[in-house]
Amino acid sequence: MTTFRIAPSILSADFARLGEEVRNVVAAGADIIHFDVMDNHYVPNLTVGPLVCQAIRPHVQVPIDVHLMVKPVDRIIPDFAKAGANIITFHPEASDHIDRSLQLIRDHGCKAGLVFNPATPLSYLEHVMDKVDMILIMSVNPGFGGQSFIPQALKKIEQARRLIDESGRDIMLEVDGGIKVENIAAAAKAGADTFVAGSAIFGQPDYKAVIDAMRTQLAAV
Ligand code: DX5
Ligand code: ZN
């Protein structure tokens, strides 16, 4: 049976109360904290860095999944590993040496992953499947929370699921962007097992009600 993981994105949390927000969302049933890092260069928005990752680390026991939307990536990887990240993913277009960046993440004791924008082909995976612990399919163009799910992402999730199954490796398949109670089952049916949701969870007053509703949807897949 597939283990489904819900990964709330702190992008839509109240940054003035971030410690409390991550504690509350984990108490509400979150499996992973998704930590969006934007640099106003690779994407047109600016968020938080390793200091904030380090600040929330003592508040939760669950894995912190750092989604790097920065270019270049290598210089900042060790800083996030030291700040308590467990998973670090990056966009292949943002690294000149994808294999080296994946290895760097693993050398620092973290799980490594590649992130695919809606128009980015999965062919980047061809020679690095053995170094990948997570594949993240973007179902919006990166940079902002609260955007609408791009349905073409479902085909790509199916394609990634096939590649993972063929590899025989234990690789998480995460989907990020516009995920809500209404479409989480479709993403799961396509093959995703890890679901990022920012505005759908932090935009509601009762985090547990949303996460429970998502799990009910997933249980029926
Ligand atoms: C977008 C980020 C997402 C974002 C998702 O660039 O990578 O993680 O926070 O937010 P929602 O769930 O609101 O689309
Ligand atoms: Zn993200």
Side-chain angles (χ1 to χ4, degrees), residues 36-182:
D36 285 309
V37 183
M38 305 185 185
D39 67 349
N40 188 38
H41 169 68
Y42 179 64
V43 290
N45 199 356
L46 185 64
T47 60
V48 287
L51 276 178
V52 176
C53 184
Q54 191 179 352
I56 63 165
R57 181 66 283 181
H59 290 265
V60 288
Q61 303 294 319
V62 300
I64 298 179
D65 162 30
V66 172
H67 174 191
L68 292 180
M69 288 162 274
V70 306
K71 185 179 180 174
V73 299
D74 289 4
R75 213 220 52 78
I76 205 76
I77 285 169
D79 295 7
F80 274 105
K82 284 185 203 113
N86 303 90
I87 306 164
I88 301 178
T89 65
F90 64 94
H91 292 248
E93 302 93 329
S95 173
D96 287 330
H97 307 283
I98 296 165
D99 180 273
R100 176 184 286 155
S101 301
L102 288 168
Q103 192 59 54
L104 185 63
I105 294 169
R106 297 178 129 222
D107 287 348
H108 281 82
C110 297
K111 292 188 189 296
L114 286 183
V115 191
F116 295 87
N117 286 336
T120 303
L122 293 180
S123 52
Y124 280 106
L125 286 166
E126 191 174 344
H127 303 288
V128 292
M129 275 304 263
D130 58 327
K131 292 196 172 81
V132 165
D133 304 292
M134 173 181 270
I135 296 171
L136 170 45
I137 304 296
M138 292 304 298
S139 39
V140 298
N141 286 289
F144 302 94
Q147 303 181 79
S148 297
F149 184 87
I150 297 173
Q152 284 77 8
L154 293 173
K155 280 260 169 298
K156 206 179 206 173
I157 294 170
E158 288 172 8
Q159 214 183 329
R161 171 51 59 199
R162 279 196 293 276
L163 292 174
I164 291 170
D165 290 349
E166 278 163 27
S167 79
R169 296 193 59 245
D170 185 14
I171 298 173
M172 290 176 272
L173 180 50
E174 186 170 54
V175 56
D176 183 4
I179 291 290
K180 35 172 90 68
V181 173
E182 292 72 28

Side-chain angles (χ1 to χ4, degrees), residues 165-214:
D165 290 349
E166 278 163 27
S167 79
R169 296 193 59 245
D170 185 14
I171 298 173
M172 290 176 272
L173 180 50
E174 186 170 54
V175 56
D176 183 4
I179 291 290
K180 35 172 90 68
V181 173
E182 292 72 28
N183 60 17
I184 197 166
K189 277 192 194 111
D193 54 31
T194 306
F195 307 88
V196 176
S199 51
I201 294 175
F202 284 109
Q204 295 294 322
D206 187 345
Y207 305 160
K208 187 169 186 308
V210 182
I211 293 174
D212 285 351
M214 288 177 164

